[in-house]
Amino acid sequence: MLQVTDLQVSYGAITALSGLSFQIPAGAIVTLIGGNGAGKTTTLRTISGLLRPKAGRIVFDEEDITATPSHRIVARGLGHVPEGRMIFSNLTVAENLAMGAYLLHDTDLVQKNREYVFGVFPRLKERLKQMAGTLSGGEQQMLAIGRALMGSPKFLMLDEPSLGIAPRLISTIFEKIVEINREHGITILLVEQNANLALDVSSYAFVLETGRIAMQGESKHLRTDPRLKATYLGG
Ligand code: ATP
């Protein structure tokens, strides 16, 4: 479903991605793990069209999207839940969800997506009129995921969904990520610093180090890999 080939991205003189290549098949949950500054966020922002690569190619659903504007990429079914959630704090929950559907013109589909989001996150339905900035961290993450789901994605990229969230809610969010994949067939690319969690829910994993893939394999195998254990899984 997604093929990234030899991607190179720089911020001025700083090279963030240096020849990154990987593939994600339709229907999978795949995780990209790596330490601070490895290039995880840069990878997602480049796939979404928010950053332009110096070289390389991104193919999504059999179309080259390397130079496609980000709103067209969203319209093709690629959703992005950014790091830090980036919800609109001064808008209500309902208004934030409506923003996620701004590219859809079919009102029946928008209504269907709203019901779907309320099915996944009943808590959002209870808080429709609440200002998003007053939600807890976990609820804001639910809203950020819900907002992305409002755009009818086939493929969803999540950047550090566990960041700044109470441990009790982290497991809920991860259960929902699995539910979105299993019951709704949405392919998922999960970026996480919490490698244990990420390997639990994914079937395949890529380890990113200084802007390229250093290791990859089935998540269940990587869990027991001594190199990964020492560096990312807490020994
Ligand atoms: P983290 O988990 O800390 O967010 P990451 O794996 O997501 O890390 P990136 O944020 O993609 O890593 O950063 C990759 C590299 O690019 C780092 O060296 C970082 O300092 C650099 N970088 C990221 N954003 C910018 C920017 N706007 N300007 C300059 N350098 C940047």
Side-chain angles (χ1 to χ4, degrees):
M1 168 156 260
L2 180 78
Q3 285 113 29
V4 170
T5 312
D6 208 10
L7 213 55
Q8 297 183 36
V9 177
S10 300
Y11 298 98
I14 299 165
T15 300
L17 302 182
S18 53
L20 176 68
S21 300
F22 64 89
Q23 294 197 14
I24 298 179
I29 300 184
V30 171
T31 186
L32 191 60
I33 51 190
N36 276 320
K40 304 180 299 296
T41 297
T42 301
T43 302
L44 298 198
R45 289 178 61 81
T46 308
I47 294 169
S48 278
L50 299 168
L51 290 172
R52 288 292 166 214
K54 273 204 313 199
R57 191 158 181 255
I58 304 163
V59 174
F60 173 61
D61 215 8
E62 295 176 10
E63 186 180 307
D64 188 330
I65 57 160
T66 318
T68 305
S70 54
H71 67 277
R72 289 234 181 88
I73 294 176
V74 174
R76 283 195 54 80
L78 199 152
H80 184 172
V81 182
E83 185 174 19
R85 310 184 277 270
M86 303 296 173
I87 54 157
F88 303 103
S89 303
N90 297 326
L91 298 183
T92 64
V93 168
E95 287 164 344
N96 268 273
L97 291 176
M99 295 295 276
Y102 80 106
L103 290 169
L104 302 184
H105 302 295
D106 177 344
T107 51
D108 288 347
L109 180 59
V110 174
Q111 190 50 37
K112 195 175 135 239
N113 289 352
R114 263 170 70 97
E115 293 306 322
Y116 163 45
V117 169
F118 296 155
V120 180
F121 298 116
R123 204 180 286 207
L124 293 180
K125 190 170 184 180
E126 294 160 15
R127 286 158 195 267
L128 277 177
K129 296 204 173 98
Q130 188 171 331
M131 294 308 255
T134 66
L135 296 172
S136 76
E139 289 162 354
Q140 290 188 15
Q141 186 64 58
M142 292 177 195
L143 179 58
I145 297 172
R147 183 180 59 186
L149 291 174
M150 288 297 293
S152 297
K154 296 185 255 192
F155 185 102
L156 193 59
M157 304 192 296
L158 298 135
D159 197 346
E160 304 270 6
S162 74
L163 209 66
I165 292 180
R168 187 176 40 84
L169 274 181
I170 291 178
S171 50
T172 307
I173 300 264
F174 275 72
E175 280 162 22
K176 298 299 184 181
I177 292 170
V178 173
E179 178 183 327
I180 290 164
N181 169 258
R182 294 232 176 104
E183 292 176 23
H184 304 280
I186 298 176
T187 308
I188 298 208
L189 172 56
L190 174 65
V191 157
E192 259 300 331
Q193 286 219 25
N194 188 330
N196 282 304
L197 259 180
L199 291 176
D200 275 348
V201 299
S202 60
S203 56
Y204 201 85
F206 295 97
V207 181
L208 193 61
E209 281 175 6
T210 56
R212 57 196 314 164
I213 303 297
M215 275 173 82
Q216 60 177 289
E218 284 182 36
S219 301
K220 59 173 187 260
H221 292 147
L222 287 182
R223 251 193 164 292
T224 57
D225 185 285
R227 280 176 299 165
L228 204 74
K229 265 186 167 170
T231 319
Y232 298 103
L233 302 175

